[in-house]
Structures are given as structure tokens and as C-alpha cells.
Amino acid sequence: METLPNRPLTDQDIIKYATKFKIDHFRGVFSRKGSHWVAFYKNKDKVVYFDSFGNLTPPIELQKYLKGNKIKYNYTNYQNKNTFNCGHLCLNFLQCKNHLTGNTTTLSVHYFPPIDVYDDSEIALLNLQTYNTFPNINETNNHFEIHLVNPDRLLNNNKFPTCFITLKKGCYDIKDIKNQILAQINNFNNDLEYLEIEKITFDIGIDQVDFRTTIFSNGTICFNVENSIAPLLGFEKKNYEHYIDGHRSQKVSNLNIVNSIKVMCNITQGSFNNHMSSHSIYEFSPSENIGSKLIQTPSNLIYYKLNKTNIESLTIQLVDQDHNPINNLGEKLIINLHIKRFGS
């Protein structure tokens, strides 16, 4: 594999390496007096413009040249200030061989013909983009009950009214959980109207200081059930009778069940997990709010040695702190990688 020189690239360099990298349909370069390379590729009326500093619209003259085309551009920054690798990043963008995208957390790319690399080549994560939509509720933690326990509320079958709450699998913040519960309670209350029985009241929230959950209800909250939601909310699996001041969870809520995300790459070696060899090339803790965009662009790239010199395919997988594959509910995942020789 050709290694780019460790210096700013000239227009002759761009043409030379575009040819050596066999970039399809390369049309050449347009250079004006300046010190920054940008790039674009065009497919019919769709154009993708790339500027390594990110979130910059194409120059006016390029917009005029591409008038009538649909132009997209990158929002992510790939280049640090006072560095000269804009040309390198443009070639990587045009080459697109180390760019993976899809709607699952396992992405693969196959190379034909295979890519030959030096035996001291190494790989690093340039950028990762997706959404924090990792499911925190599933069929194992989605249920509880509310009982209206009072002799005056006995039904004809000598049982107290019971509202069975079951949430669908998904990624929830506390407002989502509250809304889903209230919707089911409202349906239950509507069914009780003809009996002239007191309706269930309910409220839930999380303290933004210590992240404990507080629940208010005029009924008994029954968390001591199968597939209880209690641990997710920080409560013990037991029943909580009506209390005017509400019930406060014993532990902090656990809505962010993915505490750590590891980026695994099948062609790497050299990283370790619990003193065991691992294919991990990057690890981070998602700090973004549930449902928000998740972007990782390492400021200092960490490279790991490749375990082969002939690459037929490359697979990236996101796993959690327990090495379980992560489900992102079909949201788009974008991965950009960089391969180079050691020391270059």
C-alpha cells in the first residue's frame, strides 16, 4: 500500500496518489493560491462536498459550478488546527475504502481485489457517528402493576382494581416512560368510570442532582413481579403502598444501561481487555442524552497493528461493557478509519 508523505501535499501529489490509489472517475485538481485542500464527488445530480475542518459550505464558485445539483457536506471536524493533512484526508474521502455506514452496529466492507498493506501497517478510528438509541427496556424489565387497595374499591369478583403496565421494547428517557405509563393508566381509568371507583393517579420523575427516581401514586406500586422495571428505575423489587410524599428509589436510575462502547475491528491486534488480547480499537462512554446524536472524533489517534497484510474484508462491531453486541434500533452508524505504516 502506498504511504502518503508526511508533509503538505501539492497538486502533483494529489494527482499522483489518486492514480496510485485507483480512485474511480478522478477528474483532477483545481488549485488557486491558498493552503487548504477540499474535495467533492458527484453521482448524477447528487454531490457530497468534503472539508476536513467540517461544517463549512462549498465555496461560491463551486456552488455556481454545481448549480442544480443536490449538495451535501460534512459537519464533522477531522483536522486539527495548524496541521497539514487536509490533502491526505481528501484522498481518504475520495478513496472511500475505509468508510463504513449502515443501520446496524456491525458493519463490513469487502475489497476486490484485496488490499495489500505493509507488515507494520496500523489502523485507527477517525470518526464515529450514530444516535444514542440503545434500548434500555425490553421484555425482561418492562412490567409492573398498580393496585387500588381499599375495601371500598373491591370489584364484583372480590379483587381490587389492578392496572397492569407493560412497556414496549425501546429506548426511553424518563419523560417517555411517564407518558407511556400515563397512557395505559388513562385507558384503565376509562374502563372504571362506570363503576364510579376512584381513578389511579401517577407521576414519576428523576432528581437531576442525585439521579434517584421518585414515584407518586394513590395506589400500591407492585414492583415485586416478573420482568419488573424496578431495577431500571433504581427501586428494589417489592411493593410500595400509597404514601403522600411519594417513594424515592434506593439507588440511582439506570436508564443509560450502555456504560461503555467498544469499537471492535477484526483485523487488529495489540489491544487488551482484562489482560486478554482484544480486537478493540477505541472505547468511550456515551455522555449524550438518550435519543441525541452521538459523535466521537478522537483528538489523538491511537493506532493498532494490523494482524494481516492482505485484507479481503474488514468488519467493525460496537459492543457494550460486557462485550455484548449493541442494538441501535436501526439508526444510521457511520465509521471512518485510517490505515498507515508505523511511524509515518
Side-chain angles (χ1 to χ4, degrees):
M1 185 180 75
E2 287 289 337
T3 302
L4 295 173
N6 188 28
R7 57 170 173 77
L9 299 184
T10 65
D11 50 355
Q12 290 84 5
D13 289 328
I14 297 289
I15 295 171
K16 171 185 173 181
Y17 288 102
T19 302
K20 289 195 172 186
F21 292 161
K22 298 180 180 179
I23 295 176
D24 293 335
H25 311 295
F26 181 72
R27 299 292 297 274
V29 300
F30 173 77
S31 178
R32 66 181 183 185
K33 191 173 182 180
S35 58
H36 183 59
W37 285 110
V38 296
F40 75 92
Y41 72 79
K42 182 175 181 292
N43 183 9
K44 296 182 180 179
D45 65 338
K46 296 180 180 179
V47 175
V48 178
Y49 171 80
F50 176 81
D51 187 317
S52 52
F53 286 125
N55 202 23
L56 296 170
T57 56
I60 296 298
E61 56 265 47
L62 183 58
Q63 293 186 43
K64 290 180 178 179
Y65 174 73
L66 297 170
K67 186 177 181 180
N69 294 278
K70 301 174 183 177
I71 303 176
K72 293 183 178 180
Y73 60 97
N74 62 296
Y75 291 88
T76 303
N77 175 276
Y78 296 97
Q79 182 180 357
N80 295 326
K81 292 182 179 180
N82 301 318
T83 58
F84 54 71
N85 60 333
C86 53
H88 304 66
L89 292 168
C90 284
L91 284 170
N92 187 69
F93 163 76
L94 293 173
Q95 194 177 15
C96 288
K97 286 185 175 179
N98 300 325
H99 173 86
L100 295 84
T101 182
N103 296 95
T104 177
T105 54
T106 299
L107 303 177
S108 295
V109 59
H110 297 272
Y111 302 108
F112 184 80
I115 299 175
D116 291 319
V117 298
Y118 293 102
D119 58 7
D120 63 348
S121 293
E122 50 190 12
I123 190 170
L125 177 77
L126 282 180
N127 175 259
L128 178 153
Q129 295 184 50
T130 187
Y131 286 86
N132 188 354
T133 55
F134 314 124
N136 49 14
I137 290 182
N138 55 43
E139 61 279 357
T140 68
N141 65 348
N142 66 342
H143 183 63
F144 74 100
E145 300 171 5
I146 304 176
H147 297 179
L148 286 174
V149 182
N150 187 304
D152 297 331
R153 300 169 182 162
L154 278 173
L155 300 177
N156 293 334
N157 57 4
N158 289 324
K159 292 184 178 180
F160 295 112
T162 299
C163 181
F164 299 91
I165 304 294
T166 302
L167 302 183
K168 294 181 180 179
K169 178 180 178 179
C171 177
Y172 294 78
D173 62 17
I174 194 62
K175 291 182 180 179
D176 297 326
I177 291 175
K178 176 180 176 178
N179 290 337
Q180 290 292 320
I181 293 173
L182 288 178
Q184 295 184 43
I185 289 176
N186 287 337
N187 291 335
F188 178 81
N189 285 337
N190 290 336
D191 292 338
L192 290 181
E193 277 189 341
Y194 74 97
L195 296 175
E196 297 183 355
I197 294 176
E198 180 184 5
K199 296 182 179 181
I200 291 177
T201 61
F202 182 88
D203 196 11
I204 186 172
I206 291 180
D207 190 315
Q208 295 304 306
V209 176
D210 63 9
F211 302 103
R212 296 181 187 271
T213 306
T214 301
I215 291 179
F216 297 89
S217 179
N218 62 341
T220 296
I221 304 297
C222 301
F223 281 146
N224 189 24
V225 295
E226 190 175 359
N227 303 322
S228 175
I229 197 175
L232 187 77
L233 301 175
F235 283 93
E236 295 178 357
K237 290 184 178 181
K238 64 180 186 179
N239 296 341
Y240 297 82
E241 296 181 356
H242 166 62
Y243 181 55
I244 192 169
D245 291 328
H247 291 282
R248 185 173 166 82
S249 64
Q250 294 83 5
K251 299 179 180 180
V252 299
S253 61
N254 189 29
L255 297 186
N256 288 312
I257 60 174
V258 176
N259 300 318
S260 175
I261 297 177
K262 298 177 182 180
V263 182
M264 312 298 288
C265 178
N266 68 317
I267 62 170
T268 61
Q269 64 183 39
S271 63
F272 291 87
N273 179 64
N274 293 329
H275 307 291
M276 300 292 290
S277 180
S278 170
H279 292 293
S280 173
I281 61 171
Y282 188 70
E283 183 175 357
F284 66 99
S285 297
S287 58
E288 292 76 5
N289 293 329
I290 291 174
S292 61
K293 195 164 188 178
L294 192 159
I295 299 176
Q296 288 289 306
T297 304
S299 55
N300 296 309
L301 300 184
I302 300 176
Y303 287 86
Y304 293 93
K305 183 176 173 59
L306 298 183
N307 59 20
K308 57 178 63 180
T309 58
N310 184 263
I311 305 173
E312 296 181 343
S313 65
L314 184 154
T315 298
I316 293 291
Q317 183 181 40
L318 303 189
V319 300
D320 64 16
Q321 62 276 3
D322 299 317
H323 272 253
N324 295 317
I326 292 175
N327 180 356
N328 66 343
L329 296 179
E331 291 292 344
K332 190 172 186 179
L333 171 64
I334 300 173
I335 296 283
N336 288 291
L337 305 167
H338 184 228
I339 297 176
K340 70 175 185 66
R341 291 193 70 182
F342 175 76
S344 65

